[in-house]
C-alpha cells in the first residue's frame, strides 16, 4: 500500500516540503548551464543565424532581380531569425553568437562587472566561428549551391569599413546599455530590430560580427564577402566594439551621492 495525502491537505503538505528544501540566497546568481551546453548553444545559434542570412539571400536573388527587394527580404528574415534565436538560446549561453560581444563581456567582467572568463572566451569564440562556417555550408547545401566556394564579393572600400565600425559600436552600446539599465529582457526585440535597421543605415549592411564575417566568406552568394576583405572587416568590428564600450562607460556613467559614494 502507498500513503496518500487528502486532497484538501495536499497544498499545505507541498508548501511544507518546499519550505524545508534548500532555497537560494536572495540575489544569488542562478546556476549556469555546463560549459559544454553553452558552447553547443553558441555553435548552433551562430550556425542558424548564418544559415538564415545566407539562405534568405540566396532565396531573394532567386525570386527577384531588384536589389532593394533582395536586401529587404534578407534583412527581414534576419530580424525574425535572430529574435527567435536570442529567445531560445539566451537563457543557456547569453546568445552572443559573436566574438566581439563575447570579448566585450570578458572586458566588463575584468573590470568588475558580470561576464565570461578567459576560459569561456576560449570556448565560445571557436564555437561561434565553427558554427558560422557550418551555417554557410548548410545554406549552400539547401539551395543546391557549391558547398564551399570562396566569395568574390569585394567589400574593402573605406566607407564600408567605416560602416562596420558604426554597426558594431551601435550593437555593443545597445547590448551593454540594456545590461547597465537592467533592461536585458528587451534584448530579443531590441537587438534584432537594431540589426534590421543597420542593414539599411550602414554602408556595409552591418555584419558587425567576426564569426559571421568568416562564415560568409565561404559562400559566393548575395551575402558573401571575399576572403581578402575579411581581415579589414574584423579589425573594424573590434575597433567598433571598443568604441561601443567607451560609449557605454560615458553614457551610463554612475553618479555619486553627496557623500561621494556611487549612486544606486
Amino acid at each position: 500500500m502507498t500513503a496518500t495525502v487528502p486532497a484538501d491537505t495536499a497544498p499545505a503538505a507541498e508548501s511544507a516540503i518546499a519550505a524545508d528544501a534548500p532555497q537560494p540566497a536572495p540575489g544569488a546568481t542562478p546556476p549556469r548551464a555546463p560549459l559544454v551546453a553553452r558552447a553547443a548553444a553558441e555553435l548552433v545559434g551562430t550556425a542558424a543565424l548564418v544559415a538564415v542570412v545566407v539562405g534568405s539571400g540566396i532565396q531573394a536573388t532567386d525570386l527577384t532581380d531588384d536589389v532593394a527587394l533582395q536586401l529587404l527580404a534578407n534583412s527581414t528574415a534576419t530580424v525574425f531569425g535572430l529574435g527567435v534565436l536570442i529567445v531560445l538560446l539566451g537563457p543557456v549561453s547569453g546568445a552572443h553568437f559573436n566574438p566581439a560581444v563575447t570579448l566585450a563581456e570578458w572586458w566588463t567582467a575584468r573590470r568588475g562587472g558580470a561576464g565570461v572568463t578567459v576560459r569561456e572566451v576560449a570556448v565560445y569564440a571557436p564555437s561561434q566561428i565553427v558554427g558560422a562556417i557550418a551555417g554557410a555550408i548548410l545554406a549552400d547545401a539547401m539551395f543546391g549551391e557549391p558547398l564551399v566556394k570562396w566569395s568574390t564579393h569585394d567589400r574593402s572600400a573605406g566607407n564600408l569599413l567605416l560602416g562596420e565600425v558604426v554597426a558594431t559600436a551601435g550593437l555593443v552600446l545597445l547590448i551593454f546599455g540594456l545590461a547597465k539599465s537592467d533592461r536585458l529582457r528587451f534584448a530579443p526585440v531590441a537587438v534584432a530590430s537594431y540589426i534590421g535597421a543597420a542593414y539599411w543605415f550602414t554602408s556595409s549592411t552591418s555584419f558587425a560580427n567576426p564569426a559571421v564575417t568568416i562564415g560568409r566568406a565561404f559562400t559566393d552568394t548575395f551575402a558573401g564577402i571575399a576572403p581578402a576583405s575579411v581581415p579589414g572587416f574584423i579589425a573594424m568590428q573590434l575597433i567598433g566594439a571598443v568604441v561601443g564600450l567607451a560609449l557605454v562607460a560615458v553614457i551610463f556613467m554612475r553618479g555619486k551621492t553627496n557623500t561621494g559614494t556611487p549612486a544606486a
Side-chain angles (χ1 to χ4, degrees):
M1 294 180 63
T2 57
T4 59
V5 179
D8 58 344
T9 62
E14 291 173 0
S15 298
I17 293 172
D20 290 338
Q23 300 295 318
T29 302
R32 302 184 73 184
L35 184 55
V36 65
R38 284 180 277 145
E42 287 296 304
L43 189 152
V44 171
T46 311
L49 175 59
V50 173
V52 168
V53 172
V54 174
S56 62
I58 298 172
Q59 184 80 282
T61 55
D62 286 346
L63 294 174
T64 178
D65 293 327
D66 188 320
V67 178
L69 287 178
Q70 292 171 357
L71 186 60
L72 179 61
N74 196 208
S75 60
T76 301
T78 302
V79 167
F80 287 121
L82 180 57
V84 167
L85 289 171
I86 295 174
V87 169
L88 176 64
L89 299 175
V92 180
S93 67
H96 296 186
F97 313 145
N98 187 334
V101 172
T102 300
L103 287 170
E105 189 171 296
W106 165 76
W107 178 258
T108 61
R110 184 173 175 271
R111 303 283 292 179
V116 295
T117 64
V118 171
R119 175 171 176 260
E120 289 168 326
V121 172
V123 173
Y124 271 40
S127 299
Q128 292 157 354
I129 293 170
V130 170
I133 295 171
I137 294 173
L138 175 61
D140 282 341
M142 287 192 293
F143 287 91
E145 300 287 336
L147 296 186
V148 175
K149 184 177 181 182
W150 299 117
S151 175
T152 55
H153 195 158
D154 178 72
R155 299 179 189 263
S156 59
N159 63 302
L160 301 183
L161 297 178
L162 175 60
E164 278 304 286
V165 174
V166 172
T168 312
L171 178 63
V172 170
L173 172 60
L174 172 62
I175 293 171
F176 291 88
L178 290 174
K180 284 281 189 180
S181 57
D182 194 27
R183 286 176 169 79
L184 272 176
R185 61 188 177 278
F186 299 119
V189 172
V191 172
S193 298
Y194 171 80
I195 292 298
Y199 257 87
W200 290 91
F201 80 78
T202 65
S203 56
S204 63
T205 65
S206 184
F207 284 48
N209 185 328
V212 168
T213 302
I214 293 171
R216 288 168 68 165
F218 282 73
T219 177
D220 192 20
T221 58
F222 179 78
I225 177 173
S229 301
V230 169
F233 259 50
I234 292 177
M236 295 304 105
Q237 290 158 359
L238 295 178
I239 291 172
V242 172
V243 172
L245 286 176
L247 291 172
V248 171
V250 172
I251 295 172
F252 295 93
M253 186 184 303
R254 295 178 64 184
K256 293 185 177 180
T257 63
N258 292 334
T259 62
T261 58

